[in-house]
Amino acid sequence: MGITKQYLKTKPVCKVTFTVPAEEAEKVAVVGDFNDWNTEESILKKLKNGTFKGTFNLPKENTFEFRYLIDGDYVNESEADGYQWNDYAGAENALLTV
């Protein structure tokens, strides 16, 4: 898994690209407080090599909680900027700082 960040000089946003290697998966989404945990607005595109990828414009100077939803199972990003316990989920969420 991986995250790349591209800060734009002309706008107060960061282009964040999420990459998830999941050849066997049918559907991968990235959900978090930046999209109200909406699974339909954050579906990643499956590439020919089996990797799922998607880019989102997120407001700079923020920290977001997020997780991947891979075929119905929540998975944390191994390269996250940190982790935060979430009582509602009863698990840790990955943190993304932009």
Side-chain angles (χ1 to χ4, degrees):
M1 290 184 239
I3 299 173
T4 55
K5 303 173 189 175
Q6 179 184 4
Y7 292 91
L8 303 181
K9 293 180 182 179
T10 58
K11 296 180 183 177
V13 298
C14 179
K15 291 177 84 78
V16 179
T17 301
F18 297 93
T19 305
V20 180
E23 268 187 59
E24 304 300 319
E26 294 290 322
K27 182 177 175 183
V28 176
V30 59
V31 295
D33 49 14
F34 56 85
N35 63 5
D36 293 325
W37 300 89
N38 187 322
T39 59
E40 296 307 313
E41 292 182 7
S42 56
I43 296 172
L44 303 181
K45 182 179 179 180
K46 188 169 188 175
L47 304 179
K48 289 181 182 179
N49 67 2
T51 300
F52 288 80
K53 195 171 192 177
T55 301
F56 301 88
N57 291 334
L58 302 179
K60 285 198 267 187
E61 300 178 8
N62 286 288
T63 299
F64 302 100
E65 290 185 33
F66 76 99
R67 295 184 91 184
Y68 298 116
L69 187 59
I70 302 174
D71 289 341
D73 294 323
Y74 286 98
V75 178
N76 269 335
E77 168 62 61
S78 59
E79 297 178 23
D81 295 325
Y83 299 93
Q84 174 72 43
W85 180 259
N86 183 296
D87 285 332
Y88 179 77
E92 284 187 329
N93 289 332
L95 294 178
L96 172 67
T97 302
V98 292

PDB file of all heavy atoms in Angstrom, residues 19-31:
ATOM      1  N   THR A  19      -2.752   4.071  -3.188  1.00  0.00           N
ATOM      2  CA  THR A  19      -2.451   2.904  -4.019  1.00  0.00           C
ATOM      3  C   THR A  19      -2.545   1.656  -3.157  1.00  0.00           C
ATOM      4  O   THR A  19      -1.871   1.557  -2.131  1.00  0.00           O
ATOM      5  CB  THR A  19      -1.044   3.024  -4.623  1.00  0.00           C
ATOM      6  OG1 THR A  19      -0.946   4.262  -5.333  1.00  0.00           O
ATOM      7  CG2 THR A  19      -0.760   1.885  -5.586  1.00  0.00           C
ATOM      8  N   VAL A  20      -3.393   0.720  -3.586  1.00  0.00           N
ATOM      9  CA  VAL A  20      -3.618  -0.502  -2.810  1.00  0.00           C
ATOM     10  C   VAL A  20      -3.418  -1.715  -3.718  1.00  0.00           C
ATOM     11  O   VAL A  20      -4.206  -1.934  -4.639  1.00  0.00           O
ATOM     12  CB  VAL A  20      -5.048  -0.525  -2.217  1.00  0.00           C
ATOM     13  CG1 VAL A  20      -5.279  -1.789  -1.404  1.00  0.00           C
ATOM     14  CG2 VAL A  20      -5.318   0.725  -1.387  1.00  0.00           C
ATOM     15  N   PRO A  21      -2.376  -2.520  -3.476  1.00  0.00           N
ATOM     16  CA  PRO A  21      -2.213  -3.753  -4.245  1.00  0.00           C
ATOM     17  C   PRO A  21      -3.177  -4.812  -3.710  1.00  0.00           C
ATOM     18  O   PRO A  21      -3.067  -5.231  -2.572  1.00  0.00           O
ATOM     19  CB  PRO A  21      -0.751  -4.142  -4.003  1.00  0.00           C
ATOM     20  CG  PRO A  21      -0.397  -3.505  -2.699  1.00  0.00           C
ATOM     21  CD  PRO A  21      -1.280  -2.299  -2.551  1.00  0.00           C
ATOM     22  N   ALA A  22      -4.151  -5.190  -4.513  1.00  0.00           N
ATOM     23  CA  ALA A  22      -5.161  -6.170  -4.074  1.00  0.00           C
ATOM     24  C   ALA A  22      -5.681  -6.916  -5.297  1.00  0.00           C
ATOM     25  O   ALA A  22      -6.849  -6.761  -5.681  1.00  0.00           O
ATOM     26  CB  ALA A  22      -6.278  -5.461  -3.324  1.00  0.00           C
ATOM     27  N   GLU A  23      -4.822  -7.713  -5.912  1.00  0.00           N
ATOM     28  CA  GLU A  23      -5.162  -8.404  -7.162  1.00  0.00           C
ATOM     29  C   GLU A  23      -6.448  -9.209  -7.084  1.00  0.00           C
ATOM     30  O   GLU A  23      -7.219  -9.247  -8.028  1.00  0.00           O
ATOM     31  CB  GLU A  23      -4.024  -9.346  -7.550  1.00  0.00           C
ATOM     32  CG  GLU A  23      -3.017  -8.720  -8.447  1.00  0.00           C
ATOM     33  CD  GLU A  23      -2.010  -9.732  -8.939  1.00  0.00           C
ATOM     34  OE1 GLU A  23      -2.419 -10.717  -9.580  1.00  0.00           O
ATOM     35  OE2 GLU A  23      -0.818  -9.528  -8.669  1.00  0.00           O
ATOM     36  N   GLU A  24      -6.685  -9.864  -5.959  1.00  0.00           N
ATOM     37  CA  GLU A  24      -7.839 -10.741  -5.824  1.00  0.00           C
ATOM     38  C   GLU A  24      -9.120  -9.989  -5.473  1.00  0.00           C
ATOM     39  O   GLU A  24     -10.209 -10.555  -5.527  1.00  0.00           O
ATOM     40  CB  GLU A  24      -7.572 -11.802  -4.754  1.00  0.00           C
ATOM     41  CG  GLU A  24      -6.314 -12.635  -4.998  1.00  0.00           C
ATOM     42  CD  GLU A  24      -6.348 -13.396  -6.314  1.00  0.00           C
ATOM     43  OE1 GLU A  24      -7.411 -13.940  -6.660  1.00  0.00           O
ATOM     44  OE2 GLU A  24      -5.310 -13.427  -6.999  1.00  0.00           O
ATOM     45  N   ALA A  25      -9.019  -8.722  -5.109  1.00  0.00           N
ATOM     46  CA  ALA A  25     -10.187  -7.963  -4.664  1.00  0.00           C
ATOM     47  C   ALA A  25     -11.081  -7.560  -5.836  1.00  0.00           C
ATOM     48  O   ALA A  25     -10.620  -7.360  -6.953  1.00  0.00           O
ATOM     49  CB  ALA A  25      -9.736  -6.719  -3.912  1.00  0.00           C
ATOM     50  N   GLU A  26     -12.348  -7.443  -5.541  1.00  0.00           N
ATOM     51  CA  GLU A  26     -13.332  -6.973  -6.515  1.00  0.00           C
ATOM     52  C   GLU A  26     -13.532  -5.463  -6.409  1.00  0.00           C
ATOM     53  O   GLU A  26     -13.698  -4.780  -7.404  1.00  0.00           O
ATOM     54  CB  GLU A  26     -14.678  -7.675  -6.285  1.00  0.00           C
ATOM     55  CG  GLU A  26     -14.653  -9.159  -6.545  1.00  0.00           C
ATOM     56  CD  GLU A  26     -14.500  -9.480  -8.016  1.00  0.00           C
ATOM     57  OE1 GLU A  26     -15.084  -8.772  -8.845  1.00  0.00           O
ATOM     58  OE2 GLU A  26     -13.784 -10.454  -8.327  1.00  0.00           O
ATOM     59  N   LYS A  27     -13.520  -4.947  -5.150  1.00  0.00           N
ATOM     60  CA  LYS A  27     -13.842  -3.539  -4.922  1.00  0.00           C
ATOM     61  C   LYS A  27     -13.026  -3.015  -3.750  1.00  0.00           C
ATOM     62  O   LYS A  27     -12.956  -3.644  -2.699  1.00  0.00           O
ATOM     63  CB  LYS A  27     -15.337  -3.408  -4.618  1.00  0.00           C
ATOM     64  CG  LYS A  27     -15.828  -2.012  -4.414  1.00  0.00           C
ATOM     65  CD  LYS A  27     -17.347  -2.033  -4.203  1.00  0.00           C
ATOM     66  CE  LYS A  27     -17.906  -0.681  -3.872  1.00  0.00           C
ATOM     67  NZ  LYS A  27     -19.356  -0.731  -3.614  1.00  0.00           N
ATOM     68  N   VAL A  28     -12.389  -1.867  -3.959  1.00  0.00           N
ATOM     69  CA  VAL A  28     -11.607  -1.207  -2.915  1.00  0.00           C
ATOM     70  C   VAL A  28     -12.038   0.257  -2.856  1.00  0.00           C
ATOM     71  O   VAL A  28     -12.164   0.922  -3.883  1.00  0.00           O
ATOM     72  CB  VAL A  28     -10.085  -1.295  -3.178  1.00  0.00           C
ATOM     73  CG1 VAL A  28      -9.307  -0.513  -2.137  1.00  0.00           C
ATOM     74  CG2 VAL A  28      -9.626  -2.752  -3.208  1.00  0.00           C
ATOM     75  N   ALA A  29     -12.264   0.740  -1.640  1.00  0.00           N
ATOM     76  CA  ALA A  29     -12.610   2.149  -1.428  1.00  0.00           C
ATOM     77  C   ALA A  29     -11.739   2.683  -0.298  1.00  0.00           C
ATOM     78  O   ALA A  29     -11.274   1.924   0.551  1.00  0.00           O
ATOM     79  CB  ALA A  29     -14.083   2.292  -1.073  1.00  0.00           C
ATOM     80  N   VAL A  30     -11.509   3.972  -0.304  1.00  0.00           N
ATOM     81  CA  VAL A  30     -10.850   4.623   0.821  1.00  0.00           C
ATOM     82  C   VAL A  30     -11.907   5.499   1.479  1.00  0.00           C
ATOM     83  O   VAL A  30     -12.544   6.320   0.825  1.00  0.00           O
ATOM     84  CB  VAL A  30      -9.594   5.426   0.395  1.00  0.00           C
ATOM     85  CG1 VAL A  30      -9.901   6.512  -0.607  1.00  0.00           C
ATOM     86  CG2 VAL A  30      -8.896   6.014   1.596  1.00  0.00           C
ATOM     87  N   VAL A  31     -12.142   5.250   2.764  1.00  0.00           N
ATOM     88  CA  VAL A  31     -13.184   5.978   3.486  1.00  0.00           C
ATOM     89  C   VAL A  31     -12.562   6.657   4.692  1.00  0.00           C
ATOM     90  O   VAL A  31     -11.631   6.146   5.299  1.00  0.00           O
ATOM     91  CB  VAL A  31     -14.339   5.049   3.919  1.00  0.00           C
ATOM     92  CG1 VAL A  31     -15.075   4.502   2.706  1.00  0.00           C
ATOM     93  CG2 VAL A  31     -13.849   3.901   4.778  1.00  0.00           C
TER      94      VAL A  31
END
